[in-house]
Amino acid sequence: MDKLIKNGNVVFETDVRKADILVRGEKIAAIFAPGEYEGEAEVIDATGLYIMPGTIDPHEHLGLYKPLGDAFRCDTPRQAIGGVTTLINYHRGKGNYYETVKEAIEDGEKNSYVDFALSLGLCAKEHLNELQGYVDELGITSFKFFFDKQDIAHKFYDLPEEAALTLDKPDFLDILKRLRAISPELLLCTHCEDADLFRALQKQVKEADDPDDKYTLTGFEKTRPGYVETISVADTMWLNSIADGNMYVVHTSAASSVEMYEMLSKKLGGKVTLETCPHYLVLTKDSPCGLLGKVNPPLRTTADNEALWEGIRNGSVKTMGTDNVPVKKEKRFERGDDIWDVFVGFGGPGMILPTLLSEGYHKRNIPLTTLSMVNSTNTADVFLLRDKGHIAPGFDADLAIVDLDWEREITPELYGDSDFSVYAGMKFKGWPRYTLSRGEIIQKDGKILAEAGRGKYIHRTISK
């Protein structure tokens, strides 16, 4: 039966206004003025609520520390509670990508509650000769370059040294040119940290052996300060201009990186998109989470938080991903408990929309239209999710129906597939009362109504 979402405040791309949304099957069929539609439909009363496109999380690492199928099954329900309707997972590592990607798709379609796509990590020389096939056969249009793995890809991915990419600047420029030759729409997601710099700084901090640094995020941040990221942003933006490429800076963390982007984007060609993450907006190196919050790049300062929020406000920071890594505390501390041995990464499922609403809308008065673009629309456009991210006829009925006044504390039932959260005890104001994925209500008032395995793999395409 058709669904009619009535009496809600719809957050369109340029304005917020009352409208009724008709959902037919998996799609948005029409937008009506309030009360205009007179046909039969199941009614969802959205009085007092705000209707936004469902969250698209373009930056997840499901399967990094545990089996991928388990992560999809156990973590995506929490994501739906936060309004996520689509995620993009980074797939990387050893093995033939034609085989391992198909296995990953099968894991997702058997276990995920939400739709998903994949971005492909480039770490072996053979990957460069197979790019066209990844696009045509696997439906992958976004790739990742890991500057933090420079010179060590063979060790990290268990490859013969001669088979691995160096992951240096010449490799980066070569890949940009190869992608551009296939299509200017193809996206190279880039981990911007200068390996030469952070390795030297790590050596200095290690040799100093200061106990105040060894067990704190402050000490860890000294090994990878903001300029380590910013210099890499500058280098890659320049190379991207030379290639007339399409570059995406993942997990931007430093105020100086936003400043560098704003300065160079006025002068250089090529397309560059900045992404940030919830933890770089609400946490710092002094946050009580301690080394549970160890992540690359590191958590920084309140000044960096505010610069990123200003970047969201003025349009410099266009997207947000969680860098979500489901993991148990035991695994994080498996090797030890200092900055050298604690594994990096933590879970943050479904935290994009609550962060944007609580911290962006309520505390900083950033318009809902701007936040909605960051939450979904910009991401859909950059990653070629052609049926997603817009509230308009013909698009998938992926919607978050939000109660702006609903405040929730992050307690264990909201940790996702982890047994800790860096946001534990924090309160966020603004949560979805309903999450609809392709027209199906998959969560209501924080309760999951769908079943595992309903999520679909999104086979993306480039324009011909």
Side-chain angles (χ1 to χ4, degrees), residues 198-207 223-224 340:
F198 71 67
R199 287 172 186 162
L201 292 166
Q202 286 172 338
K203 184 172 183 291
Q204 292 173 18
V205 173
K206 205 163 199 174
E207 289 175 348
T223 70
R224 300 163 105 107
W340 312 112

Side-chain angles (χ1 to χ4, degrees), residues 412-461:
E413 66 269 19
L414 293 177
Y415 290 178
D417 193 25
S418 300
D419 58 0
F420 71 94
S421 173
V422 294
Y423 308 102
M426 297 177 66
K427 294 180 179 179
F428 293 82
K429 187 177 181 181
W431 291 80
R433 290 290 182 182
Y434 298 83
T435 303
L436 278 73
S437 170
R438 286 181 282 106
E440 179 183 357
I441 301 172
I442 60 173
Q443 80 87 24
K444 180 181 178 183
D445 296 331
K447 304 297 182 183
I448 297 298
L449 304 181
E451 296 183 357
R454 63 159 306 280
K456 291 183 179 180
Y457 175 67
I458 303 169
H459 187 287
R460 292 173 288 162
T461 59

Side-chain angles (χ1 to χ4, degrees), residues 303-368:
D304 291 291
N305 297 158
E306 292 306 321
L308 290 163
W309 279 116
E310 184 56 32
I312 288 174
R313 186 191 301 276
N314 68 27
S316 296
V317 178
K318 290 184 171 59
T319 67
M320 193 185 302
T322 55
D323 204 354
N324 176 41
V325 187
V327 63
K328 304 297 185 185
K329 191 181 298 185
E330 180 182 9
K331 178 63 179 180
R332 287 292 306 278
F333 292 97
E334 182 178 79
R335 299 183 304 191
D337 61 354
D338 63 19
I339 62 173
W340 312 112
D341 290 333
V342 174
F343 282 107
V344 297
F346 45 75
M351 288 304 299
I352 292 174
L353 186 54
T355 299
L356 289 171
L357 296 176
S358 188
E359 299 288 324
Y361 177 73
H362 286 295
K363 293 186 180 179
R364 292 171 178 84
N365 296 313
I366 300 175
L368 288 175

Side-chain angles (χ1 to χ4, degrees), residues 18 22-23 37 50 83 101 133 149 196 201 217 271 282 298 338 347 354 371 375-376 380 403 434 441:
K18 287 191 177 296
L22 181 66
V23 175
Y37 182 70
Y50 287 76
V101 165
K149 305 299 186 297
D196 293 332
L201 292 166
L217 288 176
K271 183 179 178 181
V282 300
D338 63 19
L371 299 175
N375 178 63
S376 187
D403 182 346
Y434 298 83
I441 301 172

Side-chain angles (χ1 to χ4, degrees), residues 76-229:
T76 55
R78 165 64 183 91
Q79 299 190 39
I81 289 170
V84 175
T85 52
T86 304
L87 68 86
I88 304 177
N89 202 51
Y90 282 110
H91 182 88
R92 62 186 186 184
K94 49 194 175 183
N96 181 299
Y97 273 166
Y98 289 109
E99 296 173 359
T100 62
V101 165
K102 290 176 182 176
E103 291 170 358
I105 294 170
E106 184 176 348
D107 281 336
E109 293 198 325
K110 284 183 177 179
N111 294 283
S112 184
Y113 285 74
V114 302
D115 293 349
F116 65 98
L118 299 174
S119 291
L120 204 55
L122 301 176
C123 47
K125 293 175 182 176
E126 68 174 341
H127 296 161
L128 305 191
N129 298 322
E130 297 176 344
L131 290 172
Q132 185 75 58
Y134 299 155
V135 176
D136 295 340
E137 296 180 36
L138 301 179
I140 292 175
T141 62
S142 51
F143 302 87
K144 190 167 184 182
F145 191 95
F146 300 88
F147 271 112
D148 60 323
K149 305 299 186 297
Q150 181 178 319
D151 303 317
I152 61 170
H154 62 291
K155 296 178 180 178
F156 199 82
Y157 299 113
D158 193 24
L159 296 165
E161 187 168 2
E162 66 274 10
L165 289 168
T166 307
L167 298 179
D168 56 8
K169 294 184 185 72
D171 277 352
F172 179 74
L173 181 59
D174 179 42
I175 292 169
L176 281 173
K177 290 180 177 179
R178 288 172 183 258
L179 294 176
R180 181 67 175 78
I182 296 171
S183 170
E185 293 180 313
L186 295 181
L187 189 67
L188 187 57
C189 305
T190 308
H191 183 127
C192 285
E193 287 186 295
D194 189 292
D196 293 332
L197 280 173
F198 71 67
R199 287 172 186 162
L201 292 166
Q202 286 172 338
K203 184 172 183 291
Q204 292 173 18
V205 173
K206 205 163 199 174
E207 289 175 348
D209 198 28
D210 185 338
D212 290 335
D213 289 340
K214 193 173 182 180
Y215 298 98
T216 65
L217 288 176
T218 299
F220 181 62
E221 202 267 345
K222 290 180 180 179
T223 70
R224 300 163 105 107
Y227 66 80
V228 168
E229 174 185 89

